Amino acid sequence: MTTSHIRAARTAATTGRWVEELKANPSAWKIHWILRVAIAAEFIGHGAFGIMGKEAWLNYYAVMGIPPSAAWVLMPMTGVVDITLGLLVLVRPTRAPLAYMAFWGLFTALLRPLSGESWWEVVERSYNFGIPLALLLFHGLGTSRREWTERIRGVPRLTRKRARRFARAFRLIIGAFLIGHGAYGIFADKPILTQHYRSIGLTSLADDPQVVSQAVGWFEIALGVFVLVAAPTTGLLLFICAWKISTEMLYVTSGAYGAGFEVIERAGSYAAPLALICFLTILARETRAESRRAVLRVPRRNPPAASRRSSHGNEVATPIPTHRTLRVPPPPLGRTFPTSLATHRTAPDASVVPGYARPTGLY
């Protein structure tokens, strides 16, 4: 067998094993790929702004004491690192980069309020650090240095308890970015929202454009609170996904700088509702399976008992005996055994069943 044949056989075996795992645990594989693609898009979109250069980032570099002249030099380097990490998640996901991505997402979110912006920026960007952290916890923290650097293969089979925990975590992520985005228009008075709504003609519905921003903001806050306090349905989660895509597409309609990368960078907010749908599917499946196992574990009722009188006159419960093989002594010399009795081997025991007497006159 040639080397090409051996390589083809190994590829076929690997593909067959992967297909079997996919069929055995489809929802977990969906979660795995939804989060991987979302993380890659988030870091590639964010890195693109570093290569292009974004003036708003100067304030964030200033928090760390970096002057604008050095910040313009560091931006492309930051962008290259982000894009490399995004591609790495798609090609070879490992635990160590995922941990760094979760930290970097939280760090960049905290730079905004530290530079003078609203703290709602951190709340709205919950998906920036929540999605990488969720994928890391989904596959489990490594127990050795090798597990932190080797490629993640396969997906875990979630129990009902773990599926419920992840569902609550994703509800928290979804509720946070909805409430945070709604607070932009109510408490932060973010000017870019007015530009977005003006680009599609919503500001013409009211004399004051801020009224439209506040109305949309209250709607998003109510939607986020509902996700936090009530169990969201699949239809509601699909609506949230479509809503986030629509609102982020307003960067394109308003002609914002790097509008396409703004939409790509926020892929985590589109992926979170889809991942929650899969977690709820797993939770429902495991709940049904646990209910079936509980039914099978129910002990059978004891067989009915017969009653008899003891020597003291008290009534004592006696279990109904099971049939046992009747031991018949050999017949006396010169006598034969009746055929009917010889073939009857399941008669009840006379010593157990009250009122039963062994037939006489057979010998």
Side-chain angles (χ1 to χ4, degrees):
M1 183 179 290
T2 62
T3 305
S4 59
H5 291 164
I6 295 175
R7 188 180 297 110
R10 290 178 178 176
T11 304
T14 303
T15 304
R17 184 169 58 254
W18 185 83
V19 172
E20 291 179 0
E21 292 179 358
L22 180 61
K23 292 181 179 179
N25 203 0
S27 297
W29 277 107
K30 290 178 183 178
I31 295 170
H32 172 81
W33 277 104
I34 287 173
L35 299 185
R36 278 178 66 177
V37 173
I39 295 170
E42 174 185 333
F43 274 76
I44 291 173
H46 190 267
F49 281 112
I51 295 177
M52 295 166 54
K54 195 172 184 178
E55 187 176 357
W57 286 17
L58 297 177
N59 297 329
Y60 310 145
Y61 282 101
V63 174
M64 298 178 287
I66 300 175
S69 58
W72 286 113
V73 177
L74 291 175
M75 280 186 196
M77 300 173 60
T78 304
V80 170
V81 173
D82 285 351
I83 293 176
T84 302
L85 289 172
L87 295 176
L88 184 62
V89 170
L90 286 179
V91 177
R92 192 178 184 275
T94 54
R95 289 176 172 84
L98 287 175
Y100 171 79
M101 289 174 163
F103 164 77
W104 183 250
L106 178 61
F107 177 71
T108 54
L110 289 174
L111 287 177
R112 285 162 170 79
L114 293 177
S115 64
E117 299 180 20
S118 172
W119 279 95
W120 292 110
E121 297 281 351
V122 181
V123 179
E124 196 272 337
R125 284 171 171 77
S126 59
Y127 52 85
N128 280 359
F129 51 88
I131 299 298
L133 181 60
L135 183 58
L136 175 62
L137 297 178
F138 178 72
H139 289 284
L141 299 177
T143 56
S144 64
R145 183 181 301 177
R146 179 180 178 181
E147 291 185 359
W148 278 91
T149 56
E150 67 180 2
R151 180 178 181 177
I152 296 176
R153 300 180 184 276
V155 293
R157 185 171 183 85
L158 295 179
T159 61
R160 180 185 177 187
K161 185 176 181 180
R162 287 198 69 200
R164 184 185 292 111
R165 288 178 178 176
F166 277 108
R168 291 174 179 173
F170 273 83
R171 287 172 61 184
L172 180 61
I173 293 173
I174 296 170
F177 70 65
L178 285 173
I179 293 174
H181 195 269
Y184 286 165
I186 299 175
F187 307 111
D189 296 334
K190 204 166 183 178
I192 194 172
L193 293 180
T194 304
Q195 300 175 14
H196 288 174
Y197 301 144
R198 183 180 293 112
S199 65
I200 57 176
L202 282 181
T203 54
S204 62
L205 300 177
D207 297 333
D208 186 2
Q210 190 63 25
V211 174
V212 177
S213 299
Q214 292 179 355
V216 176
W218 283 118
F219 171 75
E220 291 183 329
I221 290 177
L223 194 59
V225 172
F226 182 83
V227 171
L228 291 176
V229 301
T233 61
T234 300
L236 179 62
L237 294 173
L238 291 176
F239 170 77
I240 293 174
C241 178
W243 173 265
K244 286 302 298 180
I245 294 175
S246 301
T247 54
E248 302 304 338
M249 284 295 295
L250 296 180
Y251 280 100
V252 178
T253 59
S254 62
Y257 174 73
F261 293 112
E262 293 280 4
V263 179
I264 295 174
E265 182 187 4
R266 289 162 174 80
S269 62
Y270 325 140
L274 301 179
L276 181 54
I277 292 174
C278 297
F279 279 117
L280 294 178
T281 302
I282 295 175
L283 181 59
R285 184 192 63 198
E286 293 299 324
T287 301
R288 291 193 299 267
E290 187 172 335
S291 300
R292 288 194 296 268
R293 289 192 295 266
V295 171
L296 295 177
R297 287 196 300 264
V298 173
R300 297 180 179 179
R301 294 182 178 180
N302 295 328
S307 61
R308 60 182 176 86
R309 293 287 178 177
S310 65
S311 58
H312 301 285
N314 298 327
E315 187 173 330
V316 181
T318 305
I320 293 179
T322 58
H323 288 70
R324 62 177 64 176
T325 301
L326 181 63
R327 297 180 179 178
V328 182
L333 295 176
R335 302 290 298 272
T336 59
F337 214 10
T339 305
S340 60
L341 183 59
T343 57
H344 184 71
R345 301 184 60 84
T346 58
D349 193 345
S351 63
V352 179
V353 180
Y356 176 83
R358 188 184 298 277
T360 58
L362 297 178
Y363 306 106

